[in-house]
Amino acid sequence: MTDVRLRFYNTMSRRLEGFEPIEPGRVRMYTCGPTVYDFAHIGNLRSFLFEDILRRALKFFGYDVTQVMNLTDIDDKTIREAKAAGLGIREYTDRYIEAFFEDLDTLRVERAEHYPRATDYIPQMVELVKRLEAAGHAYRSDGSIYYSISTFAEYGKLSGVRPEANLTGARVDSEEYEKEDARDFVLWKKTGEGEPSWDVEIGPGRPGWHLECSAMSIDLLGEEFDIHTGGTDNIFPHHENEIAQSEGATGRTFAHYWLHAEHLIVEGEKMAKSKGNFFTLRDLIDKGHDAVVIRYLLISVPYRQKLNFTFDGLHAAEQALERIRNTLRRLDHTPAAERSGELESAVVEEFQHEFRSALGDDLNTARALGALHTLLRQVNTALDGDGISEAARGQLRQAINEADSVLGIMPEAEGGASGDDEIQSLVDERTAARETRDFARADEIRDQLSEMGVVVEDTPHGAVWHKKN
Ligand code: AMP
Ligand code: ZN
């Protein structure tokens, strides 16, 4: 299996590349995090789940991972919303940082090593602006400091958006802007009345959004690191500007691989706060949807394809996950066969190879999940037939657990499948009643289980149960 390599589509080169970290065995990666002015919507969470799969896959392939995800706690939106709520920016954003971590836990997203807040990195940002001024990339105008994109010859190399010669010197103060506006962008911004401001060496003001990611990644990962990620909407202007800032200051290649997640869309349009077509994770949980089903849905489409969110899709994810859970329960509760007739260890090895190849193929999660479903169909067939031996069962469980270290969808990880314990004890009680020929009691329990959506089958290997789909 060692021949399977990890390959990623690099937005910079626009092709698939074999992955080679700068330091053998160790990966440093930077992931653009949320702007903490409100709850994240499930579109944002799709991007964070892609990064979770990336992180887990890197570990699965044996790398040590150092991941940084910034928390943007100062920008036009956070300032506006904090003001409207009558709170200081720190107090206001604290709430949404907490909510963000709750959402990550709900979706079983592994924690990154660092979650720097922009407002804690002002000295590093000031330092970077000074370096850019010294290198001739920055200029002052109307109390703000701007990056002069015509001084960075490679501007546009990531996004393909080249500055138009006739716009040289045209400036843009807003932090998010359209491709037509390849203009000088603000590094350090003059603040308005009542806005948070830092009185620092480069003059009073506050940081522009792009500056924080360059300053924090250089501080925590070094001037040159392996992977930088975000959603496709980050490519321009955010990542293009990060490159101009970082490489303009250091003269080194900022990040070696650029990976971008496609959007979650609703009826053909990007899910976005500004469009009003969004759901938060809390909205869906309040409607009674299971968090792991939401995770399953959001990872089920490879990250470079758009994912169209529908409730039918969510329902299909629920059924797919229930099929997995039913098979695992069957496997757990069916007594072992003397020897495995149908389930050879070659079947498990084939699954392991296919699963690893799928991940190595630019994190093809659809293919990885397909491999899992194929394996579990074979498990069902074997359980219908001669059964599965204890040895084969151990090998299966290990392979499934390894796969789940990336997928994060198995019931074991849910922390106490208490419902399952209750069902199992009822099934055991029914078996005992049948053994003492108390069929009335046995039937009563069967009815009770049926009301709970559980079907019991009496097989040559004893009673096995599954949840109705
Ligand atoms: P924000 O909080 O707006 O800075 O966004 C956080 C992350 O979510 C960024 O990496 C965005 O690229 C990503 N994002 C925003 N909208 C969507 C969407 N509809 N689908 C997937 N990712 C998104
Ligand atoms: Zn960023």
Side-chain angles (χ1 to χ4, degrees):
M1 269 192 293
T2 45
D3 56 320
V4 176
R5 284 189 67 199
L6 201 43
R7 293 192 310 160
F8 296 130
Y9 179 85
N10 190 347
T11 308
M12 185 65 86
S13 65
R14 294 167 182 76
R15 57 182 183 80
L16 277 173
E17 292 178 19
F19 178 66
E20 291 291 348
I22 297 166
E23 260 179 79
R26 176 161 176 234
V27 179
R28 284 172 286 150
M29 72 169 182
Y30 188 87
T31 49
C32 285
T35 308
V36 283
Y37 72 106
D38 200 348
F39 296 113
H41 59 63
I42 56 167
N44 303 132
L45 291 167
R46 183 200 188 188
S47 286
F48 301 132
L49 278 167
F50 140 66
E51 285 146 0
D52 183 51
I53 295 287
L54 169 61
R55 170 191 171 83
R56 289 165 175 259
L58 287 164
K59 287 164 70 175
F60 183 82
F61 275 80
Y63 295 106
D64 275 343
V65 176
T66 305
Q67 181 190 1
V68 176
M69 178 179 280
N70 65 299
L71 302 168
T72 301
D73 63 353
I74 178 113
D75 79 326
D76 296 341
K77 286 182 277 196
T78 44
I79 293 172
R80 188 186 63 218
E81 298 300 320
K83 204 168 173 180
L87 295 172
I89 195 112
R90 190 93 190 175
E91 200 185 345
Y92 180 79
T93 53
D94 270 347
R95 298 178 177 185
Y96 290 105
I97 289 177
E98 199 178 312
F100 176 64
F101 285 122
E102 278 168 21
D103 287 352
L104 296 188
D105 288 346
T106 305
L107 287 177
R108 301 178 175 183
V109 173
E110 272 187 16
R111 289 293 168 101
E113 282 62 34
H114 304 276
Y115 290 99
R117 285 173 81 141
T119 54
D120 289 336
Y121 281 75
I122 301 292
Q124 290 86 340
M125 294 192 228
V126 170
E127 199 46 47
L128 187 56
V129 173
K130 282 166 61 186
R131 281 174 87 174
L132 287 171
E133 285 193 302
H137 290 300
Y139 63 92
R140 291 170 184 251
S141 181
D142 296 336
S144 293
I145 307 177
Y146 295 89
Y147 190 101
S148 166
I149 59 175
S150 65
T151 64
F152 186 65
E154 293 178 67
Y155 192 88
K157 66 179 172 179
L158 181 72
S159 62
V161 180
R162 300 285 173 182
E164 283 180 44
N166 60 357
L167 280 177
T168 308
R171 296 189 304 268
V172 44
D173 283 319
S174 96
E175 286 158 339
E176 291 176 77
Y177 48 89
E178 303 299 324
K179 290 202 194 307
E180 307 71 72
D181 292 326
R183 304 195 181 176
D184 293 350
F185 59 92
V186 70
L187 293 165
W188 191 251
K189 218 171 174 175
K190 179 171 93 178
T191 42
E193 260 304 295
E195 283 187 357
S197 179
W198 283 263
D199 200 4
V200 290
E201 207 183 325
I202 52 173
R206 63 149 172 114
W209 169 39
H210 314 298
L211 187 65
E212 66 176 271
C213 287
S214 289
M216 297 191 289
S217 55
I218 290 173
D219 191 71
L220 292 161
L221 296 174
E223 293 182 350
E224 191 162 346
F225 56 90
D226 300 297
I227 304 178
H228 196 311
T229 73
T232 51
D233 58 315
N234 289 149
I235 299 173
F236 186 87
H238 185 49
H239 289 168
E240 199 65 66
N241 291 350
E242 279 187 41
I243 292 169
Q245 293 168 152
S246 303
E247 300 191 358
T250 68
R252 296 175 62 175
T253 305
F254 181 38
H256 288 203
Y257 300 86
W258 290 85
L259 274 58
H260 291 101
E262 252 306 344
H263 286 144
L264 184 76
I265 56 171
V266 189
E267 284 158 18
E269 275 207 278
K270 176 189 168 195
M271 181 175 281
K273 283 274 157 57
S274 56
K275 297 204 174 90
N277 62 350
F278 65 92
F279 291 104
T280 64
L281 181 59
R282 289 139 206 268
D283 293 334
L284 295 181
I285 303 244
D286 288 347
K287 283 178 192 283
H289 298 285
D290 174 346
V292 186
V293 170
I294 299 167
R295 177 180 172 96
Y296 187 101
L297 174 68
L298 295 178
I299 66 170
S300 63
V301 173
Y303 76 94
R304 285 204 306 124
Q305 289 175 24
K306 289 193 167 66
L307 196 168
N308 190 22
F309 177 79
T310 61
F311 282 94
D312 282 348
L314 198 56
H315 185 61
E318 189 177 351
Q319 287 181 323
L321 197 58
E322 203 45 49
R323 274 199 301 279
I324 295 174
R325 289 171 171 170
N326 277 335
T327 307
L328 293 181
R329 270 194 296 265
R330 257 192 103 185
L331 183 67
D332 277 351
H333 300 306
T334 309
E338 290 292 303
R339 42 174 284 280
S340 284
E342 297 181 42
L343 200 97
E344 312 278 347
S345 64
V347 168
V348 180
E349 278 159 25
E350 197 182 305
F351 159 71
Q352 287 174 308
H353 184 76
E354 172 58 13
F355 186 84
R356 186 173 280 262
S357 305
L359 287 180
D361 175 16
D362 198 24
L363 309 176
N364 190 335
T365 43
R367 197 177 139 195
L369 286 166
L372 179 66
H373 283 285
T374 302
L375 175 73
L376 295 179
R377 265 197 303 279
Q378 287 164 311
V379 168
N380 273 322
T381 307
L383 289 172
D384 290 340
D386 296 343
I388 298 179
S389 71
E390 203 47 58
R393 215 176 275 247
Q395 194 192 4
L396 259 175
R397 283 206 191 93
Q398 195 188 339
I400 292 170
N401 286 342
E402 272 168 22
D404 199 49
S405 71
V406 181
L407 299 172
I409 55 170
M410 297 300 171
E412 285 79 6
E414 271 172 317
S418 50
D420 280 10
D421 289 349
E422 189 192 340
I423 293 166
Q424 188 58 40
S425 62
L426 282 169
V427 172
D428 292 344
E429 199 185 328
R430 177 175 166 276
T431 305
R434 279 165 62 92
E435 275 162 9
T436 57
R437 307 190 69 76
D438 183 355
F439 294 114
R441 177 70 189 134
D443 287 350
E444 206 175 279
I445 296 172
R446 180 191 283 266
D447 291 346
Q448 189 182 344
L449 285 164
S450 170
E451 267 166 38
M452 294 164 74
V454 174
V455 181
V456 189
E457 285 170 78
D458 294 303
T459 75
H461 312 295
V464 285
W465 60 271
H466 66 270
K467 287 195 185 154
K468 271 183 255 178
N469 230 329

